[in-house]
Amino acid sequence: AATILGMLNIENNEFEYSKDLLNDSLSHFGYFSFPNAVGIVTDSARVIYDYTQHDAMCQQGVVTDSLVKTAQAIMQRYSKEMEAKNEN
């Protein structure tokens, strides 16, 4: 949504998890999650972190602690938002 709205010069703040893919000033990454694991992909690294093993189960490229923590932080924030919405 953010890419299309940006092309039309329309504000896109309502789409918090959307990213303008044409904006070179943003960091580009892909994030995904599934039960008990979270993953993140950048142009130089890929990692899947397994919560049950407390370790990276798959990694390629230059994987830093910061990259893993970024993926974990996204998951934590999203989970908290979903819990709050379910409580209402």
Side-chain angles (χ1 to χ4, degrees):
T3 303
I4 294 170
L5 292 174
M7 292 170 64
L8 298 171
N9 293 319
I10 298 173
E11 191 61 44
N12 58 27
N13 291 338
E14 291 183 42
F15 300 94
E16 187 173 353
Y17 292 102
S18 183
K19 186 185 295 189
D20 184 345
L21 300 175
L22 301 177
N23 186 342
D24 291 332
S25 67
L26 298 174
S27 62
H28 292 284
F29 64 89
Y31 165 83
F32 57 94
S33 65
F34 47 94
N36 300 320
V38 63
I40 193 164
V41 177
T42 68
D43 60 346
S44 61
R46 295 168 188 83
V47 63
I48 300 173
Y49 183 85
D50 185 335
Y51 285 115
T52 57
Q53 300 295 320
H54 303 285
D55 196 14
M57 58 189 249
C58 176
Q59 58 185 27
Q60 294 177 328
V62 182
V63 176
T64 62
D65 285 340
S66 176
L67 185 63
V68 173
K69 288 181 181 181
T70 297
Q72 291 172 327
I74 293 169
M75 178 62 166
Q76 184 177 35
R77 181 175 177 194
Y78 180 75
S79 295
K80 285 183 180 182
E81 287 179 11
M82 291 299 104
E83 284 177 20
K85 286 181 181 181
N86 289 334
E87 289 175 0
N88 294 330

